[in-house]
């Protein structure tokens, strides 16, 4: 028997949410094109301010200084790259012409695993594409390799919403249409990653708008949040910590003696339980300053001193 369309079943509710988010965000997500070294690149960007600023990925703009943005209503405008931060894979560009009303930026810290998210972007040149899925995991770290350079993008959101080349720089939104992430990578079938929008990345965005760059301290750790072992948890009063998955060779973390498998408990005397706990320490004031780090290694507490360096093309 065909269900009565007036019935409100979960699928109908789901469809209503996704289509409402699509209506809200599709006009605010542009298809962008840049040209550098004789080659053309493309991606997406999200209008987020009333005065023409768009948010995208650093890897979308690369080293380009300008490009073009095309919106769903057919309007197009040139833009200038204001600044890019490779460590967060975020970039801010400013349109030379009119842009749509800005999207609302949300707070990824309020996300929970299993929550509905909607991705809006321009994959494979198909403008205004919408996909939906759930938050698969939070607090991931993403090593980004470019030639011989390794960067670590912290605290990314993992989703099973379908992402494809061209989605990069597009919006990942919650059920209320608030942008909680900027799509950044496709790690495999059913595994997409997005840069979170939270207090740390808002600080990055503000610095890019103001100064065109972000002075970032760099340690060289790839981490994942994990529970603290029960016995230690009771002793130190800390329920979660960061498991070191990778140490970038030659980095300050490597020079300090940190190893893959270490359980990172505190940095600068502050407990670290999610990637953002460490990331929010890695701004200009930390550059060149000794940073005490406490880890659990093979059942023993180990303290090391690392000296973050400024993020540069060397990293």
């Amino acid at each position: 028997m065909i269900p009565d369309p007036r019935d409100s079943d979960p699928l109908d509710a789901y469809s209503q949410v996704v289509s409402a988010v699509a209506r809200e965000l599709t006009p605010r997500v542009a298809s962008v094109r840049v040209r550098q070294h004789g080659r053309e690149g493309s991606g997406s960007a999200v209008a987020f301010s009333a005065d023409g600023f768009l948010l995208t990925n650093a890897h979308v703009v690369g080293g380009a200084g300008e490009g073009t943005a095309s919106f769903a209503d057919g309007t197009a405008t040139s833009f200038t790259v204001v600044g890019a931060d490779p460590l967060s894979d975020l970039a801010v560009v400013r349109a030379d012409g009119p842009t749509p009303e800005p999207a609302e930026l949300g707070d990824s810290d309020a996300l929970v695993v299993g929550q509905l998210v909607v991705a809006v972007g321009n994959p494979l040149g198909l403008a205004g594409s919408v996909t939906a899925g759930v938050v698969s995991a939070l607090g991931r770290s993403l090593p980004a390799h470019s030639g011989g350079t390794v960067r670590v993008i912290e605290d990314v959101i993992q989703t099973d919403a379908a992402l494809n080349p061209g989605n990069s720089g597009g919006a990942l939104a919650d059920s209320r249409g608030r942008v909680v992430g900027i799509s950044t990578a496709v790690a495999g079938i059913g595994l997409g990653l997005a840069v979170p929008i939270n207090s740390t990345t808002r600080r990055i965005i503000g610095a890019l708008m103001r100064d065109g760059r972000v002075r970032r301290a760099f340690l060289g750790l790839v981490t994942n949040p994990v529970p603290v072992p029960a016995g230690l948890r009771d002793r130190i009063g800390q329920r979660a910590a960061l498991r070191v998955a990778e140490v970038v060779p030659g980095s300050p973390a490597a020079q300090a003696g940190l190893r893959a498998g270490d359980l990172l408990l505190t940095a600068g005397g502050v407990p670290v339980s999610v990637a953002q706990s460490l990331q929010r320490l890695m701004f200009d004031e930390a550059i060149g300053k000794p940073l005490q780090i406490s880890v659990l290694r093979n059942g023993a507490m180990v303290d090391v001193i690392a000296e973050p360096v400024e993020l540069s093309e060397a990293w």
Side-chain angles (χ1 to χ4, degrees):
M1 183 176 68
I2 299 175
D4 187 330
R6 292 172 297 181
D7 291 341
S8 179
D9 61 39
L11 180 60
D12 287 340
Y14 174 91
S15 300
Q16 289 170 12
V17 168
V18 174
S19 60
V21 173
R23 284 194 303 271
E24 175 73 16
L25 282 183
T26 299
R28 295 164 171 79
V29 178
S31 173
V32 299
R33 293 188 177 277
V34 298
R35 179 173 289 275
Q36 54 181 322
H37 310 305
R39 301 180 63 182
E40 189 175 81
S42 64
S44 304
V46 182
F48 74 99
S49 82
D51 48 356
F53 286 101
L54 308 176
L55 188 59
T56 185
N57 288 144
H59 80 261
V60 168
V61 298
E66 58 187 14
T68 59
S70 302
F71 293 94
D73 64 0
T75 62
T77 177
S78 58
F79 65 75
T80 302
V81 177
V82 175
D85 177 46
L87 185 57
S88 64
D89 198 21
L90 291 175
V92 171
V93 306
R94 191 168 194 178
D96 301 319
T99 57
E101 289 293 316
E104 179 184 355
L105 298 185
D107 182 7
S108 64
D109 288 350
L111 293 175
V112 297
V113 173
Q115 181 174 339
L116 170 67
V117 284
V118 180
V120 181
N122 303 279
L124 306 173
L126 302 173
S129 294
V130 177
T131 59
V134 299
V135 175
S136 303
L138 295 164
R140 298 297 197 203
S141 293
L142 173 66
H145 301 267
S146 177
T149 300
V150 180
R151 302 189 190 280
V152 181
I153 304 170
E154 295 282 8
D155 210 22
V156 298
I157 303 164
Q158 180 184 329
T159 177
D160 65 351
L163 301 178
N164 289 287
N167 266 113
S168 291
L172 186 73
D174 64 13
S175 60
R176 292 177 58 183
R178 299 171 298 192
V179 179
V180 292
I182 299 296
S183 301
T184 190
V186 182
I189 297 174
L191 204 168
L193 302 171
V195 179
I197 299 296
N198 53 33
S199 59
T200 302
T201 49
R202 284 175 184 269
R203 182 174 175 181
I204 293 167
I205 293 165
L208 292 174
M209 295 172 69
R210 183 180 62 250
D211 304 322
R213 64 188 292 259
V214 181
R215 291 192 71 212
R216 297 294 303 267
F218 176 74
L219 267 179
L221 291 174
V222 179
T223 62
N224 291 308
V226 296
V228 171
L232 181 63
R233 182 192 314 154
D234 296 337
R235 192 165 83 239
I236 67 175
Q238 185 174 336
R239 301 187 62 83
L242 297 177
R243 178 74 66 191
V244 177
E246 180 181 343
V247 179
V248 177
S251 69
Q255 294 173 13
L258 291 171
R259 307 173 188 171
D262 284 347
L263 185 66
L264 199 158
L265 300 170
T266 67
V270 178
V272 288
S273 57
V274 294
Q276 191 184 166
S277 305
L278 187 59
Q279 188 181 16
R280 65 167 58 102
L281 300 176
M282 295 292 103
F283 284 95
D284 54 354
E285 60 268 21
I287 298 170
K289 304 289 181 59
L291 180 69
Q292 181 172 330
I293 297 175
S294 297
V295 301
L296 181 69
R297 179 185 297 162
N298 298 325
M301 297 291 290
V302 177
D303 290 330
V304 302
I305 302 294
E307 191 169 298
V309 298
E310 183 171 2
L311 176 70
S312 69
E313 290 304 317
W315 304 105

